[in-house]
Every structure is written in C-alpha cells, then in structure tokens.
Amino acid sequence: MTSYLVPIKTAIFIFPLIAFLFTIPFILHQYHKYGSIHKLRVLIIYSFILYMITIYFLVILPLPKINEVVFKENMIRLVPFGFIRDFIEESSFVLNNPSTYLKALTEPSFYTVAFNILMTIPFGMYLRYYFKCSFKKVILYSFLLSLFFELTQATGLYFIYKYPYRVFDVDDLMMNTLGGMIGYFVMGIIDNFLPTREEMDRDSLKEGKKVSGLRRITLFGLDTVIALMIGFCFWFVTGHFSSFLLIEVVYYIVIPTFLNQTIGGKFLNVKLEYEKNKIFYSIFRILFLYSYYYFVPIFLIGGALYFSQTLNMNTHEAILFYFFILCMIMFYFLFHFIYLFKNSHIYYDRFFKVTYQSTILYDESKEIQ
C-alpha cells in the first residue's frame, strides 16, 4: 500500500505548476463564456485536474531505471477474470475458514483489484455531475481512460522504455470501467444535495453582468499582449518604429471609437462607455495608461541603473539597490491589482469619465425560482 504514496505525493507536488499553466486559459474561457468565475466551478475543475494527475502518476510511477527494464513474458494478459484465479491461488483466503477473510482483504491479490475500481469512481462522478454525461458515455469514457492507461503501460511509457515495465491486463480495463459506472450511480445520490450545472451557469451569467476587478485586470493583460504582438510584428516586417505606434493607435483608439470595444474587450464581453468627448478622453486615457503602467516602471529601472553607476556602488550594494527597486515596482502593480480586486474600479476612471460595461447576455426571466 505504501507504493501508492509516492505517486500521490508527486501529483500534489506537480499540481501547482499544472494549475498555474491552466489558470490563464481557464480565466479567459470563463470570462468569454460567462463573464465571471464561479467559485464552485473553480473547485470542481481544479480538483478534477488534481485527480487526473494523481491517477496518471499512480499508473506510471515509480519509474524504473532504463537498464533495469528487460523483456519478460506474460506482460500482456488478455484472459478476463484472471484476478479471481490470482486471488484463490495467491491469497490466504480459505472459504471454510472465516478467520482468513480479513487477512485476505489486506493482500495484493485483493486490494489491487479493489484499487482499480476505486481509482475511477471519482471519474464517473465528475462525468455525471459537471460534464453532464449519460450512463452510456460514462461507460465509454471510463473504458477509454482505462485503455489509455493500459496502452501507456504496454508501450513502456510511449516507447521510452524498450519493454513494458507494467502489465497490460484486460481485468484492469473491466475494473476501471466498473469504477466509472459505480461513480455514476453514487453521484446520482449525492447531486441532489449540490447545485446543478445549470444553476452554476445561471449564477455565472448573472454575476457576469458586472465587470469585476479581476475581469478588468484580465482585459488589460489581454489587450496588452494582443496590441504588443501585432505592433512588434508590423515593426519587424516594416523595420520602422512608426508602424508599431500606428498599430497601438488603431488598436486602442480607432477600433474602440467605432466598436466601443478593443479586440480583447470583444472576447471578454467588456466595453467602455464615456460620458462625453469620447475620442478626446479615449486618447488622453491611453496616453495616461501607457505612462502610468509602462513608463513609470521603466523610469524606475533606468533611474536605478543611472544611480548605481553614478554613485560607484560595489556589486553587493548594487544588488541590494536593484532588489529594492524591483520590490517597489512589484508593490506598485500589486497595490493597483489589490485595489481593483476590492473595488472593481479605480480612482482615475472618474477623471476620464469612463465606465466598464458587460455585454454578457442574461435573461433574468429564465431564473429558476
């Protein structure tokens, strides 16, 4: 049983990295589809990711050394119900001796089979509850997941190893599929006490009618990436910096003037509404934002380089000075991010007479009473 602890610990260790890589696409998708991020949805999705990482590592770990894996016979078992024969032959179970029953349950010939069932029970539960899969689809997807795991083993981890180091067993396909089926029925009992997927979607769309601080930060980041990528591409092709500036003007001023949205705003369902003098305040606002969020940090970095050379700092002093400037820049952005998180607006919005409006479509007449 202790052999299962290493894969589980590894999955927990790797999960933050996988979650980090998944977070930005997840946020973009949620704001595009719903305009908000539902807390229960976050819990479900990220727990599902952790679960999938865990069972995958349970299948492949621990990894043997390449030179330790040699050819062995009977690494592919295609005869079904072989686990019954193994249990009878390898366990201490004796039918007419009840004292052997409990001990037999703690032996590999039993708990490995039980584990193969338990391993995919959550999979069936997730499929039914969140992904709204029918019983037939749960059977199919559970079988395909198990087949993927067994082929991973049969191919020696996709031919990284010359020979398989774990057995391809048709019984595992059966037990994993059975686990998914059990999970389907278990969730049929539990989901009566949980919000439905439809209720989550409804609440998300309702909340998406407001533009949250995180949604604004996401919009700012997405617009920045899109505008800079297009601008640098044109600069690279033409060789003139003026083409970069032209793209920024078109992206941040011309397009929003006609559409009330940037490209990022269109994707995230956010538009800007100015109280008056739309073009004037739009230009003024973009110049301010570029200066505020780009030039101020650049000025601080440039000033740090200048003073470190002017004051003839030694290496130790220069490192401390740069670290101090870096902390100032991080605090500068962190302060504004926290402010937006808590207020969903920022003080200079009033000066530029602009508000953020959500374009998410939500029919309140369809609310579940």
Side-chain angles (χ1 to χ4, degrees):
M1 295 292 286
T2 56
S3 61
Y4 297 137
L5 294 178
V6 172
I8 293 173
K9 290 179 179 178
T10 305
I12 294 173
F13 178 77
I14 295 294
F15 171 70
L17 174 61
I18 303 298
F20 174 78
L21 296 175
F22 177 78
T23 293
I24 293 178
F26 175 73
I27 290 175
L28 291 175
H29 175 266
Q30 293 300 299
Y31 282 140
H32 172 68
K33 188 173 183 179
Y34 303 106
S36 67
I37 300 175
H38 197 283
K39 293 180 181 179
L40 180 58
R41 196 192 309 275
V42 172
L43 177 62
I44 292 171
I45 294 297
Y46 279 85
S47 64
F48 180 69
I49 293 173
L50 177 58
Y51 161 71
M52 294 299 290
I53 295 172
T54 301
I55 60 174
Y56 180 72
F57 282 167
L58 284 167
V59 169
I60 69 171
L61 297 181
L63 295 176
K65 295 181 180 179
I66 296 291
N67 56 4
E68 292 179 349
V69 179
V70 296
F71 175 77
K72 295 180 181 178
E73 295 183 353
N74 300 321
M75 294 300 286
I76 297 181
R77 302 175 60 176
L78 300 178
V79 179
F81 302 106
F83 68 90
I84 299 177
R85 182 186 65 252
D86 294 340
F87 179 72
I88 295 173
E89 295 178 353
E90 298 176 8
S91 74
S92 57
F93 175 80
V94 178
L95 182 61
N96 59 0
N97 185 0
S99 63
T100 64
Y101 294 178
L102 184 61
K103 186 175 186 299
L105 297 181
T106 64
E107 295 174 341
S109 58
F110 174 81
Y111 71 67
T112 52
V113 176
F115 177 78
N116 278 320
I117 297 174
L118 292 172
M119 189 172 71
T120 51
I121 287 178
F123 188 67
M125 295 172 69
Y126 279 109
L127 290 184
R128 175 167 183 169
Y129 176 64
Y130 185 76
F131 298 101
K132 309 302 291 181
C133 291
S134 65
F135 183 59
K136 291 182 179 180
K137 286 186 177 180
V138 169
I139 294 175
L140 174 62
Y141 293 151
S142 297
F143 174 79
L144 291 177
L145 176 68
S146 180
L147 181 61
F148 168 71
F149 287 155
E150 294 304 307
L151 290 176
T152 298
Q153 296 174 332
T155 58
L157 196 57
Y158 322 117
F159 304 104
I160 294 176
Y161 293 90
K162 188 175 181 180
Y163 304 107
Y165 62 93
R166 290 195 175 181
V167 177
F168 177 104
D169 195 337
V170 70
D171 285 343
D172 292 346
L173 289 172
M174 296 164 53
M175 296 304 103
N176 291 157
T177 305
L178 176 61
M181 296 164 60
I182 294 173
Y184 177 89
F185 290 113
V186 170
M187 182 49 68
I189 300 172
I190 298 176
D191 66 2
N192 293 323
F193 305 96
L194 298 173
T196 65
R197 172 69 185 271
E198 291 75 14
E199 290 174 327
M200 274 191 283
D201 291 347
R202 180 206 66 190
D203 292 342
S204 297
L205 290 170
K206 185 177 181 179
E207 187 65 24
K209 291 300 294 180
K210 298 179 293 184
V211 180
S212 65
L214 180 58
R215 194 169 169 192
R216 284 191 54 170
I217 294 171
T218 305
L219 174 61
F220 178 81
L222 182 61
D223 277 334
T224 298
V225 170
I226 295 174
L228 289 179
M229 287 180 61
I230 298 175
F232 280 124
C233 287
F234 272 79
W235 186 6
F236 177 79
V237 172
T238 63
H240 298 288
F241 182 68
S242 58
S243 61
F244 174 85
L245 296 177
L246 178 61
I247 291 298
E248 302 306 296
V249 170
V250 171
Y251 188 91
Y252 283 109
I253 298 176
V254 177
I255 294 177
T257 298
F258 291 96
L259 301 180
N260 292 328
Q261 291 175 301
T262 59
I263 297 174
K266 181 69 175 178
F267 183 80
L268 297 180
N269 299 292
V270 177
K271 67 178 181 179
L272 300 178
E273 289 192 357
Y274 291 90
E275 293 180 12
K276 59 181 180 179
N277 297 326
K278 178 178 179 180
I279 297 178
F280 170 77
Y281 279 107
S282 177
I283 296 173
F284 193 19
R285 177 176 172 274
I286 292 304
L287 292 175
F288 171 80
L289 291 179
Y290 259 90
S291 302
Y292 198 72
Y293 289 108
Y294 297 131
F295 296 149
V296 170
I298 292 173
F299 174 78
L300 289 174
I301 295 173
L305 293 172
Y306 173 78
F307 281 110
S308 64
Q309 295 175 356
T310 303
L311 299 176
N312 295 319
M313 295 181 179
N314 58 40
T315 303
H316 181 69
E317 292 173 336
I319 291 175
L320 289 176
F321 184 63
Y322 294 149
F323 179 74
F324 174 72
I325 295 299
L326 178 61
C327 289
M328 288 183 59
I329 295 173
M330 292 177 62
F331 177 78
Y332 181 79
F333 284 104
L334 185 61
F335 167 78
H336 291 85
F337 286 171
I338 294 176
Y339 190 96
L340 274 174
F341 268 121
K342 297 181 66 174
N343 300 280
S344 76
H345 64 275
I346 202 163
Y347 57 88
Y348 51 69
D349 288 345
R350 185 178 302 175
F351 179 78
F352 294 111
K353 303 183 184 304
V354 64
T355 56
Y356 285 74
Q357 301 293 328
S358 175
T359 59
I360 283 289
L361 299 177
Y362 172 68
D363 187 358
E364 294 187 2
S365 64
K366 293 183 179 181
E367 285 194 23
I368 300 176
Q369 299 299 325

